[in-house]
């Protein structure tokens, strides 16, 4: 867009001799026609003044016909206004106006009768017929327009003001005619009956006009009534698509508006006003998108084109990637995936976009072409006008025609340019909506195995960066063809000017292209895309204005080409994603069960893999080793509970994935009953959405109070909900970060149970909860609420499987043994049971657990006054604060910033001085040579005019080419040339200096801002990350920083150049033509008010756009991480709709923001048109009166053409700079407002501290946030060096909080934690944390190889790494994957959850820390492996202190001591043997409930 804006400055006025000779004959013909029409002489066909009054012909044509034509055209614009649904009758004011208009139309028709009878009495017949016919038609059109308007939403107001004003335009003509009647005394003369009747008609016309005005002034309804009527109209206008609710007070943008309102964006006025009054605070305050831009509509059109394309490729429409429904009927044969794969390859995204939007896109090219050609009309007509003023021979009509041509050309050019930008913006929105939806829809349908080819980050990038690049291609494309056209026209004009000499200019321009391309490439490589763009141009324009017109297209070309190539790269990336294999459920499942209706799930000879067959050989598998799953025969009866056991990585989770269709089936049959209904799935890693607890559980289903209560109770969530700040309305963080592991597992389980499916797949939901809660879940939920459902339960907590109907033992992807619990359990249990003769615990129902237990959870971190963790993203109000500009100035560096401004000043000054010197030179030549010498065939423009040409203010080629220099002036020429050359050289030097300083300054600023943001984010408190969605943080690091790196410098550069250019121009204008100040002052005031009005709204809209963008990305990454759950529970359509709603909201803000820019642009352009027309009119009048200097008038006009352009460029670049500063504001907000962890370090500790491993808690009190109950409430205990302590307690009793306090993730309110006697609060955070080791509850792995995960700093030998893998029982699995350098995938995707926990353990074993904290680290590991691991930990950490949080109590039975936590306090601390024997101890109770 900026290229276009800058190029528009580049129009240059030409000599136009050829043009004149072409048009001379046609002008003569036109004069004869005018003379015939007016009955005047051809020399002066349109006399303005005749016998002391205005000429009749001039009066009729310019004051009567033209206003009526305008009235007719504008009225016609309103003929398409839609009716409102109110059906109310027209109000009296409207009736008056409609009646008056019809009467006026009749009177003008009646007037033609006496005019034809009177024959020349008042004027020539044809002139009268023309004038009256035009007027009658105009009033008829106007009356019809009023009739339509009074029945539209305008009926309750006075209607568009512009219509009423236009009706007054013919008034001067009426009055002049009236005066003529009075002076000629023919009004009531019996001798002239025709004249008398015409006078009577004239009086009636004036009376009717008066009635019209009175009708307009009659009172109308207030604004409130108007709004209520408005609403009824909008009800019809609103979206018909389901699922997109629109509150009734919201207006639909653009739809149903008249042409006039569309051309000048009158419909935007209420929105601009709201922005000006600071009332744009949320996306709902913005207009609803016009019907054709609404996401649902655009996507339907896009997908129907996709289907047609797919059908053309001879493929059944159902199998096509983007449109395949989740379920459809088929015979279950397994060769279909290959067909669908080819179908997907066949459909190209580009061809679908082409089919959906191509026609509209190409037709916009016509607008572009027309506006481009009109751009050349201004300079040419300006030249003709100046020549007309210099020659005293040309008739006045020529001058009037040139002035009118200048008006028409600039008016139409502005209108078309503006409409082109607006329509292209709309098309870009449509393409954006289509691509984002397509990517989202594809992600929902693609097979999980194919999805592993891309990381979540990459896929989110397709939606952000790649889509933006593709969308920007819409602009680049039209530049690609329009630049060569512009180039050719300029070459032709240049040839007209200087003949063959133009080849020198061309050679110079072409020479600059490769240089430019090299520079462009360097810039692209260094990712500083557009910094030097402007500078390359500035250098060239200084010297050669016309050649400058060539240079611009040549210079822009590499950029446009770059944009096109980037779009191509992005298109290919998205295409690769869209070609991934889809889940093809018809081919995957068989539709009938051989074993009859009692079967729920059945597999026969089925083989499954994580990697597609054809790819396994060709690439390093990203999947779980190369785990293959082979199920010879598995049949699950309806209503049975099937337990699945096996060691880590045996294939238990893969079996569930095979049932839900997430694996690739390589053969055999799979049958599942009630497939459409889906499954109740609880995954091993609970997937929690960033919303309230209740929304998580409901998952899109209606709220049923009875069922909900039952589910919450069955999943042991009642107590947890009571302790949350707002119960089930408490919002949980992203991925449930504010919940404990057990709570996440239970909410995910509750969600599955609430969906009320027939088949439940439960992947170890008991792993993360303590024995008590696990018992409750087993009895109340799995054997309670779900007792009549089919349940497949994978778990390592084998003590709970005694009640299962059957068990499967899986090893290495095969079912090793099937049987009853009695047969299978002895094979997998590590310990015999603790048998207890006292059975009283068994009789005690689990819910009788002591009521005084309260649960403190991380969720209580949410703010005291509000349960919603994150409110809407913060949005600053009002102007960008001075602090933000100051921060950017300081980031550049004060000295550097000042030098940049000074170099800009030098550059501009040298440029203006070189122009002034050239004009001085030409003046001196014309004085020396006198008039006789300074000619070529037609007189060139005067020297002053030559100086003020439109672009670099000067056209030396033209000057030197057309000036014959006197022979004795060669010395002078040398002198002038040397001075001119030196000034130009200095200018080039300053330009280069400024370019480098500017580039260096902005790069430095970007680096400083990035580093400050990163430092602050890395030091932020844990609470900040819990309460802020990742999408929001990433938005700061991606789009906001991209803005600071790239867009801001580009725009700022243009803004500064515009500002200095304007200052230089104003200095020279006022020096050469002081009176132009009279025009410039009111113009400046008008510009100032418009831009202030616009800037406020524009800023708010940009902020709203940024705020509505984060949710799209957050929702998308959330969808990707919960894909298996969404698909299993058949919620894909709902998620697609949610994405569409978020997209729609964002597009609304973007559309409003783009349109506000066009609203400003058209207003600035029209002010420019008005100024040009006014000066041209003055010029013609001056010529008539023989006043003034034609050179000065030409100067004024050339300036009118360039100043308005510069001013509009200045405002739009300033506004853009300001909106880009919003990004600096947003990064600043994070660099200053994020809560930071304490960075002070008060005590220096020894290098081997803590050398013993003594840990002491002394009266530690800790709350997650001020005002919340204490999570630790006076905790005191000591752990001695080398001691192994187990920590147990009910979920949420404060176990994990102990570790958070130890690592200072949260600062205690009071009390101390000592390590080897040193207060941990006095030690620097980095030192403290690096001396402790932890194995977290959620195993965290980095994307990368096994080696990088185990040994991030690369200090260990392979032998050490293999040894530790051996000790963690991972060596075989890792060897199978491909050794230490095999990739673990994003967040360890390629490993099972249990294997990830083992890798974390191995990583901890390698550290030399004296204190090791283990948080539920083996919850997902089978009992035998767990037992071996405990042995490893005891051996490796024999001399180290180990704290272990455990839910499976058998893992800590051999600890030295056990610490029992309850409600944030230490309840018991003793050896496990003593505690288990102590009657009534909490530990004993936990032991028993774990064994029931």
């Amino acid at each position: 867009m900026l290229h276009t804006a800058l190029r528009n400055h580049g129009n240059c006025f030409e000599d136009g001799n050829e043009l004149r000779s072409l048009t001379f004959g046609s002008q003569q013909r036109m004069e004869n026609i005018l003379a015939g029409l007016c009955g005047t002489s051809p020399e002066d066909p349109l006399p303005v003044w005749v016998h002391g009054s205005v000429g009749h012909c001039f009066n009729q044509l310019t004051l009567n016909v033209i206003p009526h034509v305008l009235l007719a055209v504008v009225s016609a614009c309103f003929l398409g206004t839609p009716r409102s649904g109110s059906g109310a009758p027209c109000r009296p004011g409207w009736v008056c106006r409609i009646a008056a208009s019809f009467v006026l139309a009749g009177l003008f028709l009646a007037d033609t009768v006496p005019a034809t009878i009177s024959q020349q009495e008042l004027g020539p017949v044809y002139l009268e017929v023309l004038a009256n016919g035009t007027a009658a038609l105009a009033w008829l059109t106007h009356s019809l327009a009023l009739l339509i308007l009074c029945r539209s939403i305008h009926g309750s107001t006075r209607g568009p003001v512009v219509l009423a004003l236009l009706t007054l335009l013919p008034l001067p003509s009426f009055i002049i005619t009236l005066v003529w009647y009075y002076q000629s005394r023919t009004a009531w003369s019996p001798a002239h009956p025709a004249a008398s009747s015409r006078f009577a008609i004239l009086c009636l016309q004036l009376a009717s006009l008066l009635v019209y005005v009175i009708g307009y002034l009659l009172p109308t309804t207030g604004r409130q009534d108007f709004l209520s009527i408005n609403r009824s109209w909008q009800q019809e206008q609103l979206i018909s698509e389901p699922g997109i609710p629109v509150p009734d007070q919201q207006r639909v943008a653009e739809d149903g508006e008249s042409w006039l309102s569309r051309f000048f964006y009158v419909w935007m006025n209420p929105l601009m006003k709201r922005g000006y009054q600071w009332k744009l605070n949320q996306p709902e305050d913005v207009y609803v998108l016009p019907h054709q831009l609404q996401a649902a509509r655009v996507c339907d059109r896009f997908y129907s084109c996709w289907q047609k394309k797919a059908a053309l490729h001879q493929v059944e429409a159902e199998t096509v990637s983007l449109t395949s429904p989740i379920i459809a009927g088929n015979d279950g044969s397994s060769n279909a995936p290959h067909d669908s794969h080819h179908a997907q390859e066949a459909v190209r995204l580009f061809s679908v976009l082409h089919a959906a939007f191509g026609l509209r896109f190409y037709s916009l090219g016509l607008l572009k072409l027309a506006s481009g050609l009109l751009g050349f009309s201004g300079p040419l007509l300006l030249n003709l006008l100046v020549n007309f003023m210099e020659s005293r021979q040309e008739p006045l009509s020529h001058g009037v025609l040139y002035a009118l041509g200048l008006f028409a050309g600039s008016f139409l050019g502005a209108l078309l340019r503006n409409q082109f930008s607006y329509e292209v913006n709309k098309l870009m929105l449509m393409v954006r909506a289509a691509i984002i939806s397509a990517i989202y829809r594809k992600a929902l349908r693609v097979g999980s195995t194919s999805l592993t080819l891309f990381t979540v980050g990459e896929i989110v990038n397709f939606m952000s960066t790649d889509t933006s690049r593709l969308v920007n291609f819409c602009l680049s494309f039209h530049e690609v063809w329009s630049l060569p056209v512009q180039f050719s026209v300029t070459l032709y004009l240049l040839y007209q000017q200087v003949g063959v000499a133009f080849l020198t200019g061309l050679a110079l321009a072409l020479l600059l292209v490769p240089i430019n391309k090299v520079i462009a490439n360097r810039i692209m490589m260094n990712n500083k895309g557009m910094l030097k763009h402007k500078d390359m141009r500035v250098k060239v324009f200084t010297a050669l204005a016309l050649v400058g017109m060539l240079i611009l297209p040549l210079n822009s070309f590499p950029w446009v080409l770059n944009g096109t190539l980037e779009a191509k790269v992005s298109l290919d990336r998205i295409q690769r994603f869209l070609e991934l294999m889809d889940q093809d459920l018809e081919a995957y499942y068989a539709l009938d069960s051989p074993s009859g209706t009692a079967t729920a799930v059945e597999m026969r000879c089925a083989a499954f893999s994580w990697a597609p067959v054809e790819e396994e050989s060709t690439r390093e598998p990203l999947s779980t080793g190369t785990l293959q799953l082979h199920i010879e025969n598995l049949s699950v009866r309806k209503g049975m509970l099937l337990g699945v056991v096996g060691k880590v990585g045996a294939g238990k989770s893969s079996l569930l994935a095979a049932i839900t269709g997430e694996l690739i089936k390589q053969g055999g049959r799979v049958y599942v009953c009630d497939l459409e209904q889906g499954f109740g799935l609880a995954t091993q890693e609970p997937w929690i959405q960033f919303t309230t607890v209740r929304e998580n559980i409901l998952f899109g289903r209606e709220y049923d109070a009875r069922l909900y209560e039952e589910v919450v109770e069955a999943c042991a969530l009642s107590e947890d909900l009571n302790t949350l700040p707002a119960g089930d309305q408490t919002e949980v963080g992203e991925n449930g970060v504010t919940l404990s592991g057990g709570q996440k597992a239970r909410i995910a389980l509750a969600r599955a149970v609430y969906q009320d499916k027939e088949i439940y797949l439960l992947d170890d939901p008991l792993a993360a909860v303590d024995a008590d809660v696990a018992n409750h879940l087993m009895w109340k939920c799995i054997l309670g609420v779900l007792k009549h459902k089919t349940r497949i339960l994978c778990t390592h907590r084998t003590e709970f499987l005694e009640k299962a109907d059957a068990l499967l033992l899986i090893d290495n992807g095969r079912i090793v043994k099937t049987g009853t619990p009695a047969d299978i359990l002895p094979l997998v249990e590590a310990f015999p049971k603790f048998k207890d003769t006292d059975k009283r615990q068994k009789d005690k129902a689990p819910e009788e657990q002591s009521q005084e237990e309260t649960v403190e959870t991380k969720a209580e971190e949410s703010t005291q006054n509000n349960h919603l963790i994150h409110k809407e993203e913060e949005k600053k109000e009002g102007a960008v604060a001075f602090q933000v500009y100051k921060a950017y100035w300081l980031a550049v560096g004060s000295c550097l910033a000042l030098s940049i401004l000074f170099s800009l000043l030098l550059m501009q000054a040298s440029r203006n001085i070189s122009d002034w010197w050239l004009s001085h030179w030409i003046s001196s030549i014309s004085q020396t040579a006198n008039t006789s010498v300074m000619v070529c065939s037609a007189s060139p423009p005067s020297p002053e005019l030559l100086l003020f040409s439109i672009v670099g203010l000067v056209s030396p080629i033209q000057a030197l080419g057309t000036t014959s220099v006197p022979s004795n002036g060669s010395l002078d020429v040398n002198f002038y040339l040397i001075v001119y050359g030196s000034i130009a050289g200095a200018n080039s030097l300053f330009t280069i200096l400024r370019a480098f300083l500017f580039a260096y300054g902005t790069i430095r600023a970007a680096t400083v801002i990035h580093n400050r943001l990163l430092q602050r984010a890395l030091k932020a408190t844990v609470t900040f990350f819990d309460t802020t969605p990742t999408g929001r943080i990433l938005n700061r690091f991606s789009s906001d920083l991209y803005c600071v790196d790239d867009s801001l410098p580009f725009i700022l550069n243009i803004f500064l150049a515009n500002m200095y250019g304007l200052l230089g121009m104003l200095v020279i204008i006022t020096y050469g033509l002081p009176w132009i100040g009279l025009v410039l002052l009111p113009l400046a005031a008008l510009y100032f008010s418009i831009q202030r009005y616009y800037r406020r709204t524009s800023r708010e809209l940009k902020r709203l756009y940024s705020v509505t963008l984060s949710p799209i990305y957050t929702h998308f990454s959330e969808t990707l991480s919960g894909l298996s759950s969404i698909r299993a529970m058949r919620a894909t359509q709902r998620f697609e709709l949610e994405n569409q709603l978020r997209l729609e909201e964002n597009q609304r803000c973007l559309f409003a923001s783009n349109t506000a820019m066009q609203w400003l642009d058209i207003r600035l352009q029209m002010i420019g048109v008005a100024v040009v027309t006014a000066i041209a009119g003055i010029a013609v009048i001056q010529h008539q009166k023989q006043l003034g200097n034609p050179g000065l008038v030409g100067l004024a006009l050339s300036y009118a053409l360039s100043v308005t352009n510069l001013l509009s460029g200045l405002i739009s670049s300033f506004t853009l700079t300001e909106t880009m500063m919003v990004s600096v504001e947003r990064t600043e907000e994070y660099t200053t407002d994020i809560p930071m962890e304490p960075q002070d370090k008060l005590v220096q500790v020894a290098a081997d501290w803590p050398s013993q491993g003594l840990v002491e808690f002394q009266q530690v009190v800790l709350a997650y946030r001020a005002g919340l109950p204490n999570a630790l409430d006076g905790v005191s205990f000591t752990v001695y060096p080398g001691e192994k302590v187990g920590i147990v307690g009910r979920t949420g009793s404060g176990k994990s909080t102990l570790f958070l306090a130890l690592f200072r993730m949260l600062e205690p309110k009071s009390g101390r934690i000592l390590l080897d006697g040193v207060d941990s609060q006095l030690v620097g955070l980095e030192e403290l944390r690096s001396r402790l080791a932890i194995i977290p509850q959620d195993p965290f792995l980095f994307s990368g190889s096994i080696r990088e995960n185990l040994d991030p700093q690369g200090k260990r030998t392979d032998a050490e790494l293999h040894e530790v893998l051996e000790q963690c029982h991972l060596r075989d699995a890792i060897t199978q994957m491909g050794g230490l350098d095999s990739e673990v995938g994003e967040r360890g995707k390629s490993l099972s959850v249990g294997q990830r926990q083992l890798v974390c353990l191995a990583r901890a074993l390698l550290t030399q820390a004296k204190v090791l904290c283990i948080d539920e680290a083996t919850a997902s590991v089978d009992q035998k492996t767990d037992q071996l691991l405990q042995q490893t930990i005891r051996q490796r950490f024999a001399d180290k202190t180990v704290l272990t949080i455990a839910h499976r109590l058998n893992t800590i039975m051999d600890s030295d001591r056990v610490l029992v936590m309850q409600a944030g306090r230490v309840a018991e601390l003793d050896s496990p043997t003593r505690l288990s024997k102590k009657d009534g101890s909490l530990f004993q109770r936990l032991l028993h409930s774990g064994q029931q």
Side-chain angles (χ1 to χ4, degrees), residues 537-553:
R537 278 201 302 256
V538 166
K539 266 178 274 189
V540 185
F541 278 153
T542 312
L544 317 152
L546 253 182
V547 177
M549 255 187 123
L550 288 179
I551 295 254
L552 189 88

Side-chain angles (χ1 to χ4, degrees), residues 1409-1469:
K1410 274 287 181 186
V1411 178
L1412 172 67
C1413 303
I1414 304 176
D1415 188 355
E1416 298 282 352
T1418 51
S1420 302
V1421 179
D1422 61 282
Q1423 297 195 355
K1424 281 192 171 164
T1425 312
D1426 192 10
Q1427 196 182 4
L1428 296 167
L1429 289 177
Q1430 300 300 334
Q1431 234 169 319
T1432 306
I1433 292 171
R1434 278 195 294 279
Q1435 289 161 8
R1436 287 292 295 240
F1437 289 92
D1439 58 337
K1440 300 188 169 71
T1441 308
V1442 181
L1443 306 174
T1444 310
I1445 293 178
H1447 284 152
R1448 292 205 305 225
L1449 301 185
N1450 51 15
T1451 59
I1452 53 155
M1453 285 312 287
D1454 57 352
S1455 307
D1456 299 330
R1457 285 192 295 163
V1458 172
L1459 169 68
V1460 183
M1461 291 292 292
Q1462 183 184 15
R1465 293 193 180 87
V1466 176
E1468 297 164 358
L1469 177 57

Side-chain angles (χ1 to χ4, degrees), residues 692-698 703-724 727-729 742-743 745-755 773 776-777 780-781 785 847 1290:
T692 62
V693 174
R694 176 181 289 192
E695 287 304 316
N696 262 298
I697 296 174
L698 296 183
Y703 174 68
D704 171 344
R706 191 191 55 74
L707 175 63
Y708 184 77
E709 285 308 315
E710 194 181 345
V711 169
V712 166
E713 172 51 35
C715 296
L717 281 167
S718 310
E719 280 190 39
D720 301 79
L721 294 183
N722 292 339
T723 56
L724 292 180
D728 64 0
Q729 291 300 329
Q743 285 170 328
R746 283 176 289 142
I747 287 175
L749 179 63
R751 172 176 60 211
V753 176
Y754 190 82
Q755 300 311 301
V773 177
H776 180 107
L777 292 179
K780 285 293 179 72
C781 179
V785 179
E847 70 268 24
R1290 202 175 176 286

Side-chain angles (χ1 to χ4, degrees), residues 515-542:
I515 298 174
N516 220 35
K517 185 68 189 120
V518 169
I519 290 177
N521 284 346
R522 292 283 323 167
I523 294 171
M524 285 309 289
M525 269 163 42
N526 300 333
N527 192 20
K528 274 289 147 261
M530 294 145 191
L531 285 177
K532 306 199 182 72
H533 181 57
K534 173 77 177 164
D535 317 329
M536 294 308 304
R537 278 201 302 256
V538 166
K539 266 178 274 189
V540 185
F541 278 153
T542 312

Side-chain angles (χ1 to χ4, degrees), residues 1048 1051-1052 1055 1212-1222:
L1048 178 63
I1051 303 287
L1052 187 63
F1055 166 63
S1212 51
S1213 58
F1214 177 57
T1215 312
L1216 273 170
T1217 304
E1218 199 176 37
T1219 44
M1220 297 296 167
M1221 286 310 265
V1222 171

Side-chain angles (χ1 to χ4, degrees), residues 230-245:
N230 199 359
R231 266 172 223 164
S232 67
W233 170 68
Q234 278 154 18
Q235 292 306 307
E236 305 162 24
Q237 294 290 318
L238 290 185
I239 315 162
S240 54
E241 275 78 1
I244 300 190

Side-chain angles (χ1 to χ4, degrees), residues 71 265 789 884 969 1387 1424:
L71 178 65
Y265 309 102
K789 311 283 189 185
V884 177
R1387 291 193 160 195
K1424 281 192 171 164

